[in-house]
Amino acid sequence: MPVALVLQTALRGATSWAFEIETATDETLADPLLRSCISLALDQKNPLPESYRLEVAWWVIQIHAGDPAGAFYAVQTLLQLLPPAVYQAVARMDIAWSLPCLMIEDSPRFRWRGIMLDSSRYFQPVGFIKKFIDLLALHKLNIFHWHLTDDQGWRIEIKKYPRLTEIGAWRSESPLGHFAHFLGGDGVPHGGVYTQDQIREIVAYAAERFVTIVPEIEMPGHAQSAIAAYPDLGCTGNKLNVSTAWGVHENLFNPDESTVEFLQNVLDEVLALFPGVFIHVGGDEAKKTQWRNCPAVTARMTELGIEDVDSLQSWFIGRMATYLAGRGRRLIGWDEILEGGLPPGSTVMSWQGIEGGIVAANAGHDVVMAPKQATYFDFYQSLDTACEPLAIGGCLPLEMVYSYDPVPAEVSAANAARILGAQGQIWTEYMATTAHVEYMAFPRLCALAEVVWSLQATRDFENFRHRLATHLKRLDRLGVHYRSPGDPYSGAM
């Protein structure tokens, strides 16, 4: 969708004014002030990606951008300067549609500004995924990390292996209450699949909004749904069910060549659907008990000349990294992929803390910072957990998100550029509805969006909180079920 059309659609819906789109002529290019208009132009002299300059005068609005993404973000800023009703597709003739005269020059601090959404634990419909992408774009976030496979469900259609979704996408029930309390299951089957046609539609929708989707296909752990579909992929050969429990499981993919080929065939179909450079392979929480105790795995390690299971995981990840590199892509994984050594060109997503990111960056690897202490939106938003919906644990209030700086002091100045950016994580074990997802994401997502866009020195929480009061009115118009800062939870999910 052309950026001009994005702006036209928003303004027409709220004001009912025509706002015709015209291509600039030689005359208007020579003097854009000849007529009242909103002018969008690419500035070939501007080398900064995603940057823009927005000028509002009483007779003209001019946008100059370094690239189309910059123009798109200028439009987001322009809309935010208008009354919040601009976000409703309902004409409001009772509003004086006006803008302050100003000039804004802006560009992002980081090129990776992301949010991870877990669709494996609980499936979200396509309509919600599109709404979520719209909300990312509104906040100038450009990465949608989509968690599509895990022990509790395989969500992406793979035509070569139909049992992955025929069996792996469906579980018999979900846990009741918090997993630590062992309350049993709810007896309600759950599942869902994104077809390849739906994924193509979503990828195209995101691209129009300058959002890149990074798919995550978990390996070698978090593999139970796949092993339930194809038992030979596991270490025991036993028939498993798709998991109905949360937590870390012991079922890993075996390291046989046939399993590696299986997963690379899966990746081939994934690559055909997602054109972005990065492919996420998980690599986290791979409990290696089965690998240690399996004679076939021991024999395989001897064959490969590998002495320990951490090195075996490194070999496994290395095979995938080499495979992806041969197809012009890059592997990214959670910080456990550092165990046993990391292949060149691989990128680390540091989630257990900042330490993995520090080690990786100082070793010359690119890093996305995602420490649970500052970016896990499945944590409670208040210490008064009785007034909040059930969450996995921990506490991550709004101010803590806003105060986070993605570049650790321990990363040398020479390697600071290795920090690509940061992202928030929405793990959905305790978010069975899309309203609950929104409640946990907002307004913490708003805070993180400012963290990854603005310079640390310019940030002020009290100023942010003041501006947030207006921004929440925009979210109201967009139908977002957010948590009001400082208020106890008082609504059904």
Side-chain angles (χ1 to χ4, degrees):
M1 181 188 301
V3 175
L5 183 57
V6 173
L7 181 57
Q8 180 198 52
T9 300
L11 294 178
R12 275 186 170 180
T15 69
S16 77
W17 300 341
F19 288 105
E20 299 293 343
I21 297 175
E22 298 180 6
T23 302
T25 64
D26 291 341
E27 184 180 27
T28 56
L29 284 172
D31 188 354
L33 307 184
L34 286 174
R35 53 182 297 194
S36 296
C37 66
I38 303 175
S39 169
L40 293 89
L42 296 183
D43 184 354
Q44 303 299 330
K45 298 178 181 179
N46 187 342
L48 294 175
E50 303 180 298
S51 66
Y52 66 88
R53 184 175 75 253
L54 169 64
E55 297 180 68
V56 179
W58 69 267
W59 63 90
V60 68
I61 298 171
Q62 295 186 85
I63 290 171
H64 295 271
D67 56 17
F72 180 83
Y73 296 137
V75 165
Q76 302 309 311
T77 298
L78 177 62
L79 294 175
Q80 290 173 27
L81 291 169
L82 290 164
V86 75
Y87 290 97
Q88 284 180 295
V90 178
R92 293 290 302 273
M93 308 308 294
D94 58 323
I95 293 177
W97 295 103
S98 62
L99 290 163
C101 292
L102 49 73
M103 193 274 284
I104 297 172
E105 289 186 327
D106 205 5
S107 60
R109 181 184 179 192
F110 295 104
R111 58 190 172 110
W112 188 296
R113 308 182 302 279
I115 296 291
M116 187 282 300
L117 177 63
D118 171 18
S119 295
S120 177
R121 274 46 178 266
Y122 279 104
F123 176 83
Q124 301 94 23
V126 169
F128 176 77
I129 299 298
K130 288 183 175 180
K131 177 184 179 182
F132 195 72
I133 290 168
D134 282 334
L135 291 169
L136 298 191
L138 168 68
H139 292 85
K140 301 185 177 77
L141 297 169
N142 64 350
I143 299 291
F144 175 38
H145 172 180
W146 201 4
H147 188 80
L148 290 166
T149 74
D150 216 300
D151 299 300
Q152 297 81 14
W154 184 286
R155 301 286 172 234
I156 176 173
E157 178 190 22
I158 301 297
K159 293 186 181 295
K160 190 175 181 68
Y161 303 115
R163 290 168 61 89
L164 286 172
T165 45
E166 290 171 0
I167 294 175
W170 309 93
R171 62 176 182 264
S172 61
E173 61 180 4
S174 305
L176 277 174
H178 198 278
F179 79 94
H181 298 156
F182 304 104
L183 299 176
D186 61 8
V188 180
H190 180 81
V193 177
Y194 301 106
T195 68
Q196 293 197 1
D197 284 344
Q198 288 173 326
I199 289 173
R200 290 187 191 94
E201 178 185 341
I202 290 168
V203 168
Y205 188 89
E208 289 178 343
R209 290 149 181 82
F210 299 91
V211 173
T212 298
I213 301 182
V214 176
E216 181 176 355
I217 309 297
E218 282 270 17
M219 60 184 81
H222 289 287
Q224 187 163 324
S225 63
I227 297 171
Y230 294 94
D232 288 347
L233 298 174
C235 293
T236 67
N238 296 335
K239 178 173 171 45
L240 300 173
N241 295 318
V242 176
S243 178
T244 58
W246 311 137
V248 181
H249 296 33
E250 291 191 350
N251 293 294
L252 271 61
F253 289 119
N254 66 56
D256 291 349
E257 195 61 31
S258 59
T259 300
V260 172
E261 181 180 354
F262 179 100
L263 290 169
Q264 290 176 344
N265 288 339
V266 168
L267 289 176
D268 280 343
E269 295 195 30
V270 171
L271 298 182
L273 295 169
F274 298 95
V277 171
F278 288 96
I279 302 295
H280 206 298
V281 299
D284 60 309
E285 299 179 327
K287 292 180 66 174
K288 302 180 181 69
T289 305
Q290 289 184 350
W291 277 5
R292 289 189 182 93
N293 297 332
C294 176
V297 172
T298 301
R300 177 68 164 156
M301 290 170 62
T302 301
E303 174 191 342
L304 296 171
I306 293 173
E307 296 183 355
D308 59 72
V309 290
D310 284 345
S311 297
L312 180 60
Q313 175 164 328
S314 178
W315 171 86
F316 197 105
I317 296 297
R319 287 290 302 271
M320 300 305 163
T322 300
Y323 193 78
L324 292 172
R327 286 149 182 79
R329 308 299 185 92
R330 291 180 61 185
L331 179 144
I332 184 170
W334 302 107
D335 53 40
E336 288 96 328
I337 66 173
L338 288 164
E339 298 170 5
L342 188 59
S346 299
T347 299
V348 172
M349 189 166 280
S350 187
W351 77 273
Q352 296 181 89
I354 64 173
E355 292 77 14
I358 294 168
V359 170
N362 285 335
H365 294 283
D366 286 344
V367 174
V368 175
M369 298 302 292
K372 59 186 178 182
Q373 298 88 346
T375 68
Y376 267 45
F377 296 168
D378 56 334
F379 284 12
Y380 284 104
Q381 301 182 67
S382 166
L383 290 172
D384 186 6
T385 58
C387 291
E388 294 289 336
L390 184 65
I392 195 169
C395 181
L396 181 58
L398 183 66
E399 186 172 4
M400 189 176 295
V401 178
Y402 190 81
S403 65
Y404 175 60
D405 184 1
V407 181
E410 296 86 348
V411 173
S412 68
N415 289 317
R418 292 289 185 182
I419 307 297
L420 303 182
Q423 70 174 33
Q425 281 53 245
I426 306 174
W427 299 106
T428 62
E429 286 96 328
Y430 300 98
M431 304 179 206
T433 68
T434 56
H436 196 169
V437 169
E438 291 178 355
Y439 179 89
M440 299 300 281
F442 295 94
R444 291 186 289 191
L445 182 151
C446 311
L448 185 68
E450 197 154 305
V451 166
V452 292
W453 184 276
S454 303
L455 295 175
Q456 174 81 358
T458 66
R459 299 211 304 271
D460 177 270
F461 183 69
E462 288 306 314
N463 178 272
F464 168 76
R465 188 159 59 179
H466 176 74
R467 290 181 284 111
L468 181 62
T470 299
H471 189 64
L472 294 180
K473 296 176 183 178
R474 300 180 189 115
L475 298 185
D476 285 332
R477 301 315 193 274
L478 293 166
V480 177
H481 188 86
Y482 59 84
R483 181 187 189 275
S484 296
D487 290 347
Y489 164 66
S490 61
M493 290 294 113

